[in-house]
Amino acid sequence: MQGKTEETGIFQIKNIPENPFFLFTKWYHERQVKNIGTNVLCLSTATKDGKVSARNVVLRRLDEDGFVIMTDNRSKKVSEMRENPYAAMTFLWVQEVDGNVQVRQVRAEGTMKELPIDNWVDIYDREPLYCKIRAYVCHQGQNVEWHDLKAHHDELYGLFVEGKHKLERPDHVRSFKMDPTMIEFYETEGDQIADRLLYRKDENEWKMTRIAA
C-alpha cells in the first residue's frame, strides 16, 4: 500500500508591475498591516579589496527610487562604503498565510550615497529616546567597558530628564541611500517551488526577467 503522496507545484507571482518599487511597496505594506517587522534588512558591504562583511540594519525610509538607512559615520560599514560604494541589501519575510508558510525574499544591489542632512534629519528626530542616547554613548564597533557605558548612559539620561540636554543629532549620525541597479523578488508558499523575478536598470529603465529558483 502506497503512502500519501507529497503535494508540490510551482508558485507564480502575479500582477507584475514594470517598476520593481511598486511590487516592493506592496509587499512592504502588507507586512506592516499584519504588524510584523518589515524594516530589518541585511546590509552587505565590501572593502576595495573585496573583503565582505554583513549586518542587520533598519530601513529608515522607503523612497520611490531607493532605500534609506541611518548609521554611525564612524562605523565599519561606512568605512567600507567610502572605499567601495557598491553594496547589497537582503530582506527576508516569513509568515503563515492560509495555513501555509509564505516566504518572500527581496535582494537589491546598487551604490550607497550619503544624503544631505536636511533630507533626512526628521528620521533622527523621530527616534525613540534610547536610540538617541545610544548615538551619544556608543562609538559603534569600538571596545567598551560595560560599567563605563552604563555610567555614561545614566548620566546622559539624567541630564535629559532634568531638561539639561536635548539630545540633538550628533554630527557622526548620518544617512545613506541605496540607488539600486538590480532588485530580485523570490516568493513561495507551502511546498511549492519558488518564483523569482529579476529587475535590472538599464539607462534609468527597469527590465524584468523570470529566473529559476
Side-chain angles (χ1 to χ4, degrees):
M1 182 176 179
Q2 289 185 330
K4 182 179 179 181
T5 302
E6 294 184 26
E7 295 184 1
T8 184
I10 298 181
F11 188 82
Q12 182 181 25
I13 300 174
K14 300 178 181 178
N15 302 318
I16 301 169
E18 293 182 1
N19 187 322
F21 280 97
F22 294 163
L23 182 55
F24 184 91
T25 300
K26 177 178 179 294
W27 285 12
Y28 186 70
H29 288 312
E30 284 178 0
R31 293 282 289 185
Q32 288 181 322
V33 168
K34 295 179 182 295
N35 295 318
I36 301 173
T38 63
N39 56 354
V40 177
L41 64 104
C42 179
L43 173 67
S44 301
T45 56
T47 65
K48 62 184 178 181
D49 299 323
K51 294 181 180 178
V52 180
S53 62
R55 76 290 292 161
N56 290 323
V57 300
V58 174
L59 177 67
R60 301 291 182 173
R61 190 177 75 205
L62 173 61
D63 288 351
E64 294 180 354
D65 59 352
F67 308 98
V68 177
I69 66 168
M70 186 173 68
T71 188
D72 188 330
N73 198 42
R74 305 164 298 181
S75 63
K76 179 179 180 181
K77 71 175 83 63
V78 172
S79 175
E80 292 182 348
M81 288 189 293
R82 296 203 188 287
E83 283 189 31
N84 175 8
Y86 202 73
M89 293 180 171
T90 306
F91 299 81
L92 178 62
W93 301 320
V94 181
Q95 64 183 356
E96 185 175 308
V97 175
D98 298 329
N100 289 318
V101 176
Q102 178 195 72
V103 179
R104 285 175 169 175
Q105 176 181 269
V106 181
R107 297 194 309 115
E109 297 174 359
T111 53
M112 302 295 294
K113 299 177 181 178
E114 185 172 347
L115 295 174
I117 292 171
D118 60 1
N119 177 274
W120 63 271
V121 69
D122 59 304
I123 296 176
Y124 176 83
D125 292 341
R126 293 194 302 269
E127 286 286 89
L129 178 59
Y130 81 93
C131 289
K132 290 181 178 179
I133 292 179
R134 180 183 60 196
Y136 277 85
V137 304
C138 293
H139 187 155
Q140 196 173 104
Q142 298 301 303
N143 293 339
V144 66
E145 291 291 337
W146 185 90
H147 292 287
D148 293 341
L149 185 65
K150 179 68 163 56
H152 192 183
H153 168 277
D154 293 350
E155 177 187 10
L156 197 57
Y157 177 69
L159 291 173
F160 174 79
V161 170
E162 295 170 5
K164 297 179 180 180
H165 201 310
K166 295 182 180 179
L167 300 176
E168 296 93 343
R169 181 194 63 83
D171 186 59
H172 58 265
V173 174
R174 302 297 178 91
S175 271
F176 292 79
K177 179 176 178 177
M178 173 184 277
D179 178 17
T181 55
M182 184 284 287
I183 303 179
E184 178 201 303
F185 296 85
Y186 170 110
E187 183 178 13
T188 188
E189 289 183 12
D191 295 328
Q192 300 182 85
I193 297 170
D195 196 6
R196 290 172 71 189
L197 308 177
L198 176 63
Y199 288 83
R200 291 194 181 278
K201 189 192 293 184
D202 183 14
E203 296 182 354
N204 293 320
E205 181 179 347
W206 287 102
K207 298 180 178 179
M208 190 278 294
T209 56
R210 220 174 209 115
I211 58 176

